[in-house]
Amino acid sequence: MSPFSLDGQTALVTGANTGIGQAIAVAMGQAGAHVICAGRSSCTETVGMIEGAEEMALDFADPMAARDVFADRKVDILVNNAGIIRREDSADFTEADWDDVMDVNLKAVFFTCQAFAKAALPRGAGRIVNIASLLSFQGGIRVPSYTASKHGVAGLTKILANEWAAKGIGVNAIAPGYIATNNTQALRDDPERSQAILDRIPAGRWGDPEDIAQTAVFLAAPAARYIHGAVLNVDGGWLAR
Ligand code: NAP
């Protein structure tokens, strides 16, 4: 079997209804995985794009929402993709905008990894792919809770890799560059910001969700078996600039 194949494996993708999560779910299905499309919004559209896929309601308004998801079924691959962003000057940033983002982007990621590991550690096998950000490395502007949460995702990826690599669970993250999704609509609606971003991207274009999806398949596949604790930039060269 190809080391890039996900044949015979079950993958759960959070936030699979749209954007990067939808593209990852589709790519994992194309690589042979049975895909569980999890979302707070309906994932019917995504399920319709993947043979044999199934839908799961999962809303991280409760960051512990995944506590029982892995107890009664074998899931081999977890992709923590769901995430939100709030934009406001740091001087005016509210507690609600801090807590909402930290709950979905960081607390839910940790406790979903924990729930997955409780089931996967006894089997001695599993792969986790977290979706980090350029703001796991850089500061950004007017997005303090997002930056803090994504720095946290990079740190969590490393500690969980340290604890679980020898036990058969691989934990890695992808740091997407500027990708055209709902998450970046506000930036793309601002002609000056949009052009300034484009001018800095060595590849000369914004990324597509599909640019991230194939990297997620790779990190979930046997081909990546010796990769642990990596936060892989998929950014058209942005961080190299
Ligand atoms: P998106 O289109 O806004 O997708 C975000 C996904 O997260 C949606 O499926 C959304 O569901 C889901 N979500 C939000 N709150 C949730 C909750 N409480 N419970 C469950 N699911 C929830 O943006 P995207 O760009 O595809 O974002 C996917 C991931 O990539 C995020 O972690 C984001 O931070 C990260 N990222 C994106 C970029 C970029 O340039 N686009 C760059 C770096 C990192 P709804 O549709 O119901 O809101």
Side-chain angles (χ1 to χ4, degrees):
M1 207 203 305
S2 162
F4 298 95
S5 168
L6 301 182
D7 266 352
Q9 304 205 47
T10 296
L12 186 148
V13 182
T14 70
N17 57 299
T18 186
I20 291 171
Q22 181 175 64
I24 291 174
V26 169
M28 294 223 164
Q30 286 167 347
H34 172 68
V35 184
I36 303 169
C37 302
R40 68 170 171 180
S41 301
S42 164
C43 291
T44 310
E45 181 183 297
T46 310
V47 166
M49 298 162 79
I50 310 166
E51 204 180 320
E54 59 182 292
E55 183 163 358
M56 177 185 287
L58 199 53
D59 185 346
F60 292 118
D62 170 10
M64 312 296 286
R67 58 172 80 71
D68 299 324
V69 163
F70 307 99
D72 56 357
R73 61 180 310 156
K74 181 171 169 282
V75 177
D76 307 288
I77 297 161
L78 166 65
V79 182
N80 284 306
N81 163 77
I84 56 174
I85 193 163
R86 299 275 167 80
R87 298 177 196 278
E88 182 57 85
D89 292 344
S90 289
D92 299 321
F93 211 75
T94 64
E95 185 179 4
D97 280 344
W98 180 270
D99 287 344
D100 290 353
V101 171
M102 295 300 272
D103 276 358
V104 175
N105 291 14
L106 191 56
K107 185 173 179 181
V109 169
F110 175 71
F111 283 103
T112 304
C113 287
Q114 185 192 64
F116 175 82
K118 279 182 176 166
L121 284 169
R123 291 197 300 269
R127 299 292 295 179
I128 295 174
V129 181
N130 295 323
I131 303 302
S133 168
L134 292 177
L135 300 192
S136 298
F137 306 105
Q138 300 183 306
I141 303 166
R142 304 182 73 247
V143 288
S145 56
Y146 187 81
T147 300
S149 71
K150 293 297 186 177
H151 272 64
V153 167
L156 272 186
T157 299
K158 293 172 195 172
I159 183 180
L160 298 180
N162 290 342
E163 290 195 28
W164 298 339
K167 297 176 177 169
I169 300 185
V171 188
N172 293 289
I174 297 171
Y178 285 89
I179 313 295
T181 67
N182 299 333
N183 176 290
T184 50
Q185 189 66 54
L187 294 179
R188 284 177 291 120
D189 287 345
D190 176 340
E192 272 176 37
R193 277 301 301 282
S194 182
Q195 191 59 46
I197 289 167
L198 187 59
D199 288 345
R200 220 209 105 137
I201 302 174
R205 66 169 176 86
W206 281 62
D208 293 324
E210 291 71 23
D211 292 324
I212 306 305
Q214 297 304 333
T215 308
V217 170
F218 165 64
L219 287 176
R225 67 190 175 191
Y226 200 58
I227 302 180
H228 293 279
V231 184
L232 191 53
N233 317 324
V234 183
D235 62 357
W238 175 279
L239 283 180
R241 190 119 178 180

